[in-house]
Amino acid sequence: MDILHLDEQILVVNKPAGLPVLPDGWDEDAPYLLEMLTAEHGKLWVVHRLDKVTSGVMVFARTAEAHRELNRQFEQHEAHKIYHALVLGQPAWDEKVARHPLRVNVGHKHRTAVDPRAGKPSETHFKIIKPYPSAALLEARPVTGRTHQVRVHLSALGHPILGDALYRAPETDLIARPALHAYSLSILPPPSGPPATYKAPRPDDFEVALNRISNIEYPISDSEYGLSNID
């Protein structure tokens, strides 16, 4: 396990893709992140989560006091996360704020859906890091923390994440999962530490997909994968 930071109050790790944070309801005997870390570092408290398919920075509390303080920071939007996402198509904007209301646990696939009536307020800020003819590497800064928020907002904007079949991306051999990575996390380390930012480099599968798609010289239009922009 890639440990980014360890002290008496917190543990920060670079979670690999494909490993759930908590037991997977579909396979209760499969390994999960909290179990593996607890075996090595003792009792831990979960502060936030990443999807099983998402890689990147996560913080765990090592004391009840640290857990309360980190929960407060997340609830009051004092903790800041930055994701990197490789999306299909080239956005017509350099920066964009998505505020589509989201409703979670929809249908038998338990997806999150845009729902203007019953959805909860949700907000994500996007910025293009680098455009490609058929795709773009984006920075995503979620303000709220809804399940699958970044993935759904990008799909709603007409630019689903490469490999994210759950949210309308076509099948691909470029990557075996959604190309989404939690790149950095900024918090105030308990009990009263100065602001700190922890970063995790993008994993190999993400970089391979990025390098391969950068060599595709023809543009892919929205119509080619059945999407249209939804502002």
Side-chain angles (χ1 to χ4, degrees), residues 62-81:
R62 301 191 71 194
T63 67
E65 294 78 11
H67 186 224
R68 286 192 293 270
E69 170 57 19
L70 289 172
N71 276 341
R72 184 196 66 77
Q73 292 182 35
F74 275 85
E75 290 170 357
Q76 297 184 12
H77 308 300
E78 295 177 5
H80 302 287
K81 295 182 286 184

Side-chain angles (χ1 to χ4, degrees), residues 98-112:
R99 294 189 176 92
H100 308 77
L102 301 180
R103 179 164 59 93
V104 303
N105 202 24
V106 176
H108 68 280
K109 292 186 178 180
H110 305 288
R111 293 186 295 182
T112 297

Side-chain angles (χ1 to χ4, degrees), residues 1-4 11-22 31-37 49-60 175 177-178 180-182 200-206:
M1 189 62 61
D2 185 7
I3 304 299
L4 302 176
L11 168 65
V12 185
V13 302
N14 180 10
K15 184 186 95 63
L19 183 66
V21 176
L22 296 174
Y32 58 95
L33 181 61
L34 181 61
E35 177 184 51
M36 297 169 65
L37 292 174
R49 302 184 190 182
L50 292 177
D51 298 338
K52 177 180 178 180
V53 296
T54 303
S55 56
V57 181
M58 283 195 69
V59 61
F60 293 85
I175 191 169
R177 65 173 179 99
L180 181 65
H181 176 70
R202 295 187 297 261
D204 290 345
D205 65 340
F206 194 114

Side-chain angles (χ1 to χ4, degrees), residues 91-100 124-128 138-141 153-154 157 229-231:
W93 37 264
D94 293 325
E95 298 187 22
K96 186 80 169 179
V97 179
R99 294 189 176 92
H100 308 77
T124 311
H125 295 234
F126 296 105
K127 180 171 68 175
I128 294 179
L138 303 184
E139 173 187 285
R141 294 174 178 259
H153 274 168
L154 284 169
L157 291 173
N229 286 319
I230 304 173
D231 293 324

Side-chain angles (χ1 to χ4, degrees), residues 148-205:
H148 297 177
Q149 177 175 310
V150 174
R151 298 166 65 184
V152 181
H153 274 168
L154 284 169
S155 180
L157 291 173
H159 297 284
I161 294 173
L162 179 71
D164 197 357
L166 186 63
Y167 293 106
R168 303 195 301 167
E171 293 185 3
T172 180
D173 63 354
L174 295 175
I175 191 169
R177 65 173 179 99
L180 181 65
H181 176 70
Y183 173 70
S184 72
L185 173 65
S186 299
I187 59 172
L188 299 172
S192 58
T197 297
Y198 306 99
K199 297 180 178 180
R202 295 187 297 261
D204 290 345
D205 65 340

